[in-house]
């Protein structure tokens, strides 16, 4: 797995420290970070650098003016959204994939949710409607890493 086949896409991110945390996670997982405009902050903003620590200069995020131009250049997108019926771990993440996440205040636009495959992170607790985007990205990236490094040839008990 490398930045050529594992991609994280933040659509219209709003919170600089979330972006910094996501960038650091992408670097740790050897995934490429993509940001779709509009971005609610400047990439050189203090909050991004602080959350990305001294790694931010190595993250090298790609910035796109819109999702359509990005989606033509990347592996098929898998949108991570709370209302998806299938949980993330039911999807095969061993091949090239683009994991797509929405903005903090609104999630992903309906037009994207209707057009692309969707996965959720099940939350058995009823107290929250969603997780922080940087937490969600971390869970999704490490599920991809788990699937890609598992010695088992199939999913299920006994992994």
């Amino acid at each position: 797995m490398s930045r050529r086949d594992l991609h994280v896409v933040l659509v219209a991110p709003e919170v600089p420290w979330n972006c910094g945390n996501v960038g650091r996670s992408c670097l740790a997982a050897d995934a490429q970070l993509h940001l779709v405009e509009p971005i609610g902050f400047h990439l050189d903003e203090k909050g991004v650098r602080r959350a990305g620590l001294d790694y931010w200069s190595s993250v090298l995020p790609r910035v796109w003016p819109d999702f359509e131009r990005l989606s033509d250049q990347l592996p098929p997108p898998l949108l991570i959204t709370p209302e998806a019926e299938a949980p993330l771990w039911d999807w095969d993440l061993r091949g090239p994939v683009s994991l797509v996440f929405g903005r903090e205040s609104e999630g992903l636009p309906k037009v994207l949710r209707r057009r692309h495959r969707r996965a959720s992170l099940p939350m058995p607790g009823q107290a929250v409607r969603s997780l922080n985007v940087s937490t969600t990205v971390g869970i999704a990236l490490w599920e991809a890493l788990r699937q890609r490094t598992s010695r088992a040839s199939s999913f299920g008990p006994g992994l």
Side-chain angles (χ1 to χ4, degrees):
M1 178 174 57
S2 72
R3 288 186 183 209
R4 289 179 297 278
D5 67 357
L6 183 57
H7 301 267
V8 169
V9 179
L10 298 182
V11 176
E14 299 169 305
V15 181
W17 52 87
N18 279 337
C19 185
N21 286 334
V22 168
R24 188 169 25 151
S25 294
C26 286
L27 195 58
D30 199 23
Q32 177 64 54
L33 175 60
H34 301 269
L35 305 173
V36 177
E37 294 178 327
I39 299 171
F41 50 87
H42 296 287
L43 289 177
D44 60 354
E45 194 168 311
K46 188 177 181 179
V48 177
R49 289 192 322 270
R50 183 180 299 136
L53 300 173
D54 54 341
Y55 306 113
W56 187 248
S57 62
S58 299
V59 172
L60 304 173
R62 294 190 63 194
V63 178
W64 300 85
D66 55 58
F67 189 81
E68 287 70 31
R69 290 186 210 175
L70 164 116
S71 64
D72 290 342
Q73 303 296 316
L74 296 181
L78 178 61
L79 281 55
I80 312 301
T81 181
E83 76 275 354
E85 292 180 16
L88 177 67
W89 35 83
D90 282 358
W91 290 90
D92 186 350
L93 304 176
R94 292 174 291 180
V97 67
S98 301
L99 302 168
V100 181
F101 304 84
R103 67 186 320 153
E104 290 87 348
S105 65
E106 300 174 14
L108 289 160
K110 286 183 182 181
V111 66
L112 293 181
R113 292 192 319 253
R114 285 192 298 261
R115 196 179 317 152
H116 298 286
R117 307 172 304 155
R118 297 174 297 157
S120 67
L121 294 182
M123 293 181 283
Q126 302 286 322
V128 297
R129 71 178 176 279
S130 64
L131 296 172
N132 179 281
V133 69
S134 63
T135 299
T136 305
V137 169
I139 292 167
L141 279 173
W142 265 261
E143 173 60 13
L145 289 174
R146 184 196 68 77
Q147 288 185 21
R148 292 165 185 230
T149 59
S150 175
R151 291 191 178 119
S153 59
S154 64
F155 299 108
L159 286 180

